[in-house]
Amino acid sequence: MSAIVEPISPSKALIMDTMMDENNQQENMKMLDDESLREEQLLESDYSTSDEGMFLVSKFTIHINELEPEVQEPKLYIICPERPELVLCEPFFSTPKECLFTLKEASRYKLKFSFTVSNNVVCGLKYINTTWKTGVRVDKSQVMLGTFEPRKEPYVYELEEDVTPSGVFARGLYTTRTQVIDEKERCYVDITYYFDIQRQWPESP
């Protein structure tokens, strides 16, 4: 039995073409929606935090350790067995006429340094102390402090005990510059202060 095919009128053909176009548009829209949904799901899946503290955003990786480290709240302590502990912290004002402290000649003393680290690990931190008397450099010491991770609690580092010089030429006013820098030569502390050495301790600490 043969099928009978009826001719399609121009108006009917136009209606069918319109319906096909609408169907195609709906299919295209559905494909676009599906593609957008897949991209959104992929993007959401890329926003994750690992145990190492890094965020993965799409194809780009943003590391927390790109932040610059900061050394904050530096304090310098002068510890003498015969006197109360002296504490120097920023900001402070020191001039030749208003020296920060006085040390007795031939007395034992020890320096202690404390600071906090934030943002990132600071590597190769070192403490540099340079002292002048009447414009002539009389001492320069450099101590490697080490590598420190960020934390709220301050780090404390004590230097070895030393003895102040003695004699008529040792007494008088001294200028000291203290710097704290890391292995990349980033400077976190750079302070200059004045102190003097006398025959006896001052009457009041």
Side-chain angles (χ1 to χ4, degrees):
M1 184 176 179
S2 60
I4 300 175
V5 180
E6 296 181 0
I8 301 176
S9 63
S11 59
K12 188 175 182 180
L14 179 60
I15 293 173
M16 292 181 66
D17 290 341
T18 302
M19 292 176 63
M20 291 179 64
D21 290 341
E22 290 178 354
N23 290 336
N24 290 336
Q25 290 178 2
Q26 291 177 358
E27 289 294 330
N28 292 336
M29 290 296 294
K30 183 179 180 182
M31 291 175 62
L32 289 174
D33 291 341
D34 292 342
E35 184 65 24
S36 298
L37 180 61
R38 282 196 297 270
E39 290 180 356
E40 184 176 346
Q41 291 174 344
L42 179 62
L43 186 60
E44 289 177 354
S45 66
D46 285 340
Y47 277 91
S48 61
T49 307
S50 69
D51 293 337
E52 300 165 348
M54 65 176 59
F55 297 91
L56 305 178
V57 183
S58 188
K59 295 182 180 180
F60 300 96
T61 303
I62 300 178
H63 295 272
I64 287 180
N65 55 8
E66 290 178 356
L67 297 173
E68 293 291 332
E70 290 185 3
V71 175
Q72 300 171 322
E73 301 178 9
K75 293 181 180 180
L76 183 64
Y77 302 80
I78 295 91
I79 304 170
C80 299
E82 305 173 53
R83 306 291 285 182
E85 186 176 84
L86 297 171
V87 184
L88 307 181
C89 56
E90 291 186 284
F92 61 82
F93 183 70
S94 179
T95 67
K97 293 183 179 180
E98 298 179 12
C99 60
L100 289 178
F101 56 91
T102 297
L103 297 177
K104 177 186 174 182
E105 64 177 353
S107 60
R108 294 182 295 117
Y109 73 97
K110 182 167 57 176
L111 298 180
K112 182 173 71 174
F113 186 66
S114 71
F115 56 92
T116 60
V117 176
S118 60
N119 287 348
N120 205 342
V121 176
V122 58
C123 299
L125 199 65
K126 56 186 175 182
Y127 164 92
I128 303 173
N129 201 67
T130 309
T131 303
W132 296 267
K133 186 177 188 296
T134 62
V136 179
R137 193 179 77 181
V138 295
D139 181 70
K140 182 175 183 180
S141 58
Q142 179 172 304
V143 178
M144 180 60 67
L145 302 177
T147 297
F148 302 89
E149 296 182 352
R151 74 177 193 186
K152 294 181 179 180
E153 296 78 15
Y155 289 97
V156 179
Y157 195 99
E158 288 192 7
L159 280 67
E160 295 182 358
E161 189 177 71
D162 204 346
V163 179
T164 58
S166 60
V168 62
F169 295 107
R171 300 176 203 135
L173 184 68
Y174 290 80
T175 306
T176 296
R177 182 185 183 187
T178 297
Q179 295 173 287
V180 177
I181 62 177
D182 65 11
E183 63 182 11
K184 295 184 178 180
E185 299 300 320
R186 288 178 294 205
C187 185
Y188 302 99
V189 177
D190 192 348
I191 56 177
T192 299
Y193 58 90
Y194 300 87
F195 71 95
D196 62 355
I197 293 178
Q198 298 297 335
R199 180 176 296 178
Q200 300 295 331
W201 289 107
E203 294 183 1
S204 58

